[in-house]
Amino acid sequence: MMKFPASDPPMAQAVVVNDDLTQLNVLTGLLRREGLEVRMFQSAEAALAGMDRHRPPALIVTDLYMPGIDGWRFCRLLRSPEYQFCNHVPILVVSATFSGEEASRITEELGANAFLSSPVEGTQFLDQVRVLLAGQSPRSVRRVLIVEDSRALANALQEVFAAHGYLADTALTARAAMEAFSKDVYDIALLDYHLPDAKGDRLLVDFCLGRPDCVCIMMTTDPSPELALSWMRQGAAAYLRKPFDPEYLLEVSARASRERSLLRVEELLESRTRELREAECRYRVLFEQSPYGVVILDPETTQLLEFNEQACRQLGYSRQEFARLRLVDIEAAETAEESLACIRRVMRDGYDDFDTLQRTKQGQIRHVHVAAQMLDVGGHPVYHCIWRDVTERKRVAERLRASETRVRAKLDAILLPEGDIGLLDLSDILDVPAIQELMNDFYKLTNIGVGIIDLRGEVLVATGWQDICLQFHRVHPETFRNCIESDTELSAGVEAGTFRIYRCKNNMWDIVTPITVGNRHVGNLFLGQFLFIWVNHAYAETCRHDPAFSPGKNHFALYPHQENQAIFQRVVDTGEPFFVVAKPFEFPDQPERGVTYWDWSLIPTRDPGGKIAGLVFTLAEVTSRVRAEEALRDSEERYP
């Protein structure tokens, strides 16, 4: 008798249904790697028609959203009596829509066994497949509560639901229904309107409040538009008129469950969209408000992909101009090849930080510290860098080194017997902070401005006149040259112990006397009152003076006012303009005018470097208006 070798058992079969061909191929490849025979379908209709009733698959993997019969209806059909051969086949749903708790709920409503978010991670997907093939993930059964006073109808409906994979309980009264609902969690409640001990819509209200996820369906023999509208307002998902086809009831139940799920999906998507918008807004705020330039480059072309406002501002470009640049247009220390090699090193190592030079739109060279890293954005690597302008820090370091050299030489001049006193500056001899404090007290007592300036024109001590002289004349290039001429040339030749009064080229009156140390002229002491530069005729008429009267005089020497002087200083310190309406003021030299009222503004002006250079003081007298308003209020109070 001939013996034939035993044939190998057939491979376990898996069915994959997905209308996205890429996803279909990916999932199929993973399953075949696991040793499964895979049948691929791009629609649920094709899968239902192509599956062998005599050889059901060991696993079905399906998408949720597909044209024609979608994943919701496909899963319902697989659990129906018509496709009884698939009732117990494990179903794995793969979809990009859900995650977390919502995915578990959708899995339960579909009658599926497991759910994974798409795109899947290969190892996680295969682990889940193995669990399902081992029978370790039984599907959850949906529970139905049938509240119907007719025992025959209740039992018939129970059998219909059970045949379609539901676990159905019955209650013949409202009381029994409440007891059942309090003990178990039901997914669907079928409520008859006419019950022996209560109306069904009483249960509807309690059920909807107790478990909003439960799908409640009303049924009655005598519906009306008013009744239907009332039920829908109270939370019913649908209503049926008796008698009805049990299959129609099943379809209504499935559709209502699906609609409820879709509503939850809509809420979920809306919540996720809102969270994404908020996250994007937070990122955009951090990105745009960063004090440093933030730039994202294409690592291959060095084209700018994204950048913040600070990156444009610190190099002097508009956003439109900056968007057209590449790294070679900015980099001043490296060639294009060297920059590309640096980028490749960062893309390989992940991070680097270094100093470089960058060229502004105006051609200036700036020192910049770069912190660069490789980032993955949607699967595409990009070169992310933060540019911190350290030009000023470099200059400070250079000045510090130069200062240390000078200080070392000056110490030698002071301490060594052979030291040369000619190396000492006035600032090396004076205790500048102590003298500044002394001159501040002097100004408070006399309201006379004082300045001590060395022969290089550097102001060491200044009180009273700094608002105009230090923050305007000594900042603007043209007037600064005039200041240096006054400090060094016009004041030269004054004998020790004498003084000179003169008008400088900035139209300021100065009194100057030399400061000498050991018969060596080292600086000058200036006295003056310098605030007004120019006034128009309207201002002069308001103050009852000639226009030529104010220039060269200190505003608060003419009109002392502690609060107003503090306002002027605050505008200089903060750079913020000041506006006031109907502010009272009394002229010290014109007491007959009494209390006057003024709308006035104080606007700072800036030099090309952005520093405060002066103040524009604008006034409009509103005394007549204020007094008219006061008279009107008095009249209204007297004659209400």
Side-chain angles (χ1 to χ4, degrees):
M1 180 176 180
M2 295 181 61
K3 293 184 178 180
F4 295 94
S7 60
D8 293 333
M11 297 172 60
Q13 185 185 92
V15 168
V16 181
V17 186
N18 199 307
D19 64 313
D20 185 320
L21 189 57
T22 301
Q23 288 292 321
L24 188 64
N25 289 328
V26 169
L27 298 174
T28 298
L30 290 171
L31 292 171
R32 285 176 176 162
R33 191 190 311 167
E34 190 65 11
L36 294 171
E37 177 190 344
V38 183
R39 301 192 63 190
M40 304 164 52
F41 300 97
Q42 283 191 272
S43 70
E45 292 95 327
L48 292 171
M51 285 190 290
D52 187 350
R53 291 176 176 270
H54 302 291
R55 188 195 170 193
L59 174 68
I60 298 175
V61 181
T62 181
D63 188 14
L64 201 55
Y65 291 101
M66 298 180 290
I69 297 177
D70 59 18
W72 305 80
R73 294 187 178 90
F74 182 48
C75 289
R76 284 282 169 231
L77 287 170
L78 293 175
R79 299 304 185 219
S80 70
E82 288 75 15
Y83 292 88
Q84 194 170 4
F85 72 100
C86 287
N87 283 179
H88 302 290
V89 175
I91 302 174
L92 172 57
V93 177
V94 176
S95 175
T97 308
F98 306 100
S99 63
E101 180 183 346
E102 194 65 28
S104 301
R105 193 175 297 152
I106 296 299
T107 303
E108 179 183 332
E109 291 174 353
L110 291 170
N113 298 78
F115 188 104
L116 288 177
S117 295
S118 177
V120 298
E121 194 276 318
T123 301
Q124 182 187 21
F125 174 73
L126 291 179
D127 287 344
Q128 184 65 72
V129 167
R130 295 185 192 109
V131 168
L132 293 176
L133 292 175
Q136 297 174 4
S137 181
R139 68 182 179 90
S140 58
V141 179
R142 307 205 70 207
R143 302 200 63 175
V144 181
L145 178 60
I146 303 168
V147 185
E148 167 59 54
D149 60 339
S150 168
R151 187 180 297 276
L153 180 56
N155 291 339
L157 294 176
Q158 185 180 30
E159 292 176 1
V160 170
F161 275 104
H164 284 77
Y166 291 88
L167 180 60
D169 295 330
T170 62
L172 303 180
T173 64
R175 182 185 181 85
M178 286 299 297
E179 291 178 357
F181 197 82
S182 65
K183 294 177 182 178
D184 295 307
V185 176
Y186 291 97
D187 302 289
I188 300 174
L190 189 62
L191 309 175
D192 185 22
Y193 180 56
H194 297 287
L195 296 172
D197 55 345
K199 295 294 186 184
D201 50 9
R202 281 289 305 277
L203 294 176
L204 172 64
V205 173
D206 292 339
F207 285 12
C208 290
L209 288 175
R211 187 164 184 257
D213 289 340
C214 180
V215 175
C216 296
I217 300 174
M218 298 297 298
M219 56 183 180
T220 184
T221 56
D222 53 350
S224 66
E226 294 77 18
L227 202 55
L229 180 59
S230 173
W231 290 341
M232 301 306 282
R233 284 175 175 168
Q234 291 170 351
Y239 67 92
L240 299 173
R241 179 170 188 160
K242 296 180 180 177
F244 48 76
D245 184 347
E247 294 297 326
Y248 177 65
L249 170 61
L250 288 171
E251 177 61 28
V252 170
S253 300
R255 185 171 65 245
S257 297
R258 183 170 181 269
E259 289 172 354
R260 183 64 55 87
S261 296
L262 288 175
L263 286 175
R264 286 200 301 270
V265 171
E266 186 176 344
E267 293 171 359
L268 177 66
L269 292 177
E270 184 177 342
S271 173
R272 288 182 179 175
T273 301
R274 184 169 57 252
E275 291 172 359
L276 285 173
R277 283 201 209 99
E278 292 172 354
E280 182 181 0
C281 183
R282 288 193 298 271
Y283 165 77
R284 182 54 59 181
V285 167
L286 293 173
F287 186 78
E288 287 297 340
Q289 294 188 3
S290 170
Y292 308 125
V294 183
V295 178
I296 298 175
L297 299 174
D298 184 317
E300 297 298 328
T301 65
T302 72
Q303 186 71 41
L304 301 174
L305 302 177
E306 186 63 81
F307 48 85
N308 67 353
E309 192 66 34
Q310 180 60 25
C312 310
R313 188 183 302 118
Q314 68 187 34
L315 291 176
Y317 291 96
S318 68
R319 289 193 72 91
Q320 292 76 14
E321 293 170 334
F322 200 74
R324 294 192 292 268
L325 301 179
R326 292 192 305 158
L327 189 58
V328 68
D329 302 315
I330 301 167
E331 179 62 44
E334 299 177 334
T335 64
E337 291 75 17
E338 290 171 334
S339 296
L340 198 55
C342 176
I343 291 175
R344 288 170 179 161
R345 184 176 65 253
V346 171
M347 301 304 287
R348 182 193 67 226
D349 299 339
Y351 178 84
D352 194 11
D353 65 294
F354 51 89
D355 288 337
T356 189
L357 299 175
Q358 292 183 348
R359 185 181 299 102
T360 69
K361 179 182 177 181
Q362 294 74 24
Q364 297 175 339
I365 302 300
R366 309 291 295 179
H367 293 268
V368 177
H369 180 77
V370 180
Q373 62 181 328
M374 188 276 285
L375 292 181
D376 186 281
V377 179
H380 300 286
V382 296
Y383 180 77
H384 175 277
C385 51
I386 298 174
W387 295 343
R388 182 157 58 96
D389 191 320
V390 293
T391 305
E392 190 58 34
R393 190 184 72 184
K394 294 278 189 181
R395 289 173 179 168
V396 168
E398 291 172 2
R399 287 197 295 269
L400 181 60
R401 284 192 294 270
S403 175
E404 289 173 348
T405 302
R406 288 196 303 273
V407 168
R408 192 174 295 111
K410 290 174 181 179
L411 284 174
D412 292 342
I414 295 172
L415 300 176
L416 298 179
E418 65 275 15
D420 183 4
I421 196 173
L423 295 174
L424 299 178
D425 293 328
L426 182 58
S427 59
D428 302 322
I429 302 169
L430 297 179
D431 185 349
V432 172
I435 295 180
Q436 179 69 63
E437 186 175 353
L438 181 65
M439 291 300 99
N440 289 342
D441 293 337
F442 176 76
Y443 176 68
K444 290 178 182 178
L445 291 173
T446 65
N447 217 27
I448 296 175
V450 177
I452 297 178
I453 302 175
D454 66 17
L455 296 183
R456 295 196 306 270
E458 182 177 352
V459 178
L460 304 179
V461 175
T463 60
W465 50 278
Q466 65 268 30
D467 287 344
I468 179 63
C469 218
L470 291 182
Q471 299 185 36
F472 182 76
H473 290 156
R474 294 184 180 273
V475 172
H476 193 278
E478 184 176 348
T479 54
F480 180 63
R481 284 192 294 271
N482 294 337
C483 291
I484 296 299
E485 181 181 344
S486 301
D487 299 341
T488 58
E489 297 179 19
L490 297 181
S491 60
V494 182
E495 296 183 5
T498 65
F499 64 88
R500 175 185 295 170
I501 300 176
Y502 67 94
R503 176 183 287 180
C504 74
K505 287 191 175 182
N506 291 327
N507 201 34
M508 307 295 290
W509 283 100
D510 291 335
I511 303 174
V512 63
T513 187
I515 300 173
T516 60
V517 176
N519 295 323
R520 177 170 169 258
H521 186 197
V522 292
N524 294 304
L525 172 68
F526 291 84
L527 303 176
Q529 300 167 323
F530 307 109
L531 196 58
F532 280 106
I533 303 173
W534 172 85
V535 300
N536 65 3
H537 286 279
Y539 184 95
E541 290 173 5
T542 294
C543 298
R544 299 180 181 176
H545 288 297
D546 187 87
F549 171 80
S550 296
K553 294 184 174 61
N554 187 296
H555 178 277
F556 293 107
L558 297 176
Y559 311 114
H561 194 285
Q562 186 174 356
E563 180 186 356
N564 288 352
Q565 188 167 356
I567 292 171
F568 273 58
Q569 189 61 50
R570 187 167 66 248
V571 172
V572 170
D573 293 341
T574 66
E576 297 292 333
F578 177 82
F579 304 90
V580 70
V581 176
K583 194 174 193 305
F585 180 76
E586 296 180 63
F587 285 86
D589 59 339
Q590 302 169 46
E592 70 278 6
R593 296 177 69 172
V595 178
T596 59
Y597 295 89
W598 303 83
D599 291 348
W600 56 274
S601 65
L602 202 59
I603 310 296
T605 61
R606 298 179 184 272
D607 67 2
K611 295 182 180 179
I612 303 296
L615 302 172
V616 178
F617 185 36
T618 307
L619 303 101
E621 186 173 4
V622 294
T623 305
S624 299
R625 187 193 74 196
V626 172
R627 289 176 179 167
E629 290 172 352
E630 290 175 348
L632 178 60
R633 283 195 296 271
D634 291 341
S635 175
E636 290 174 345
E637 291 173 359
R638 191 177 298 113
Y639 307 105

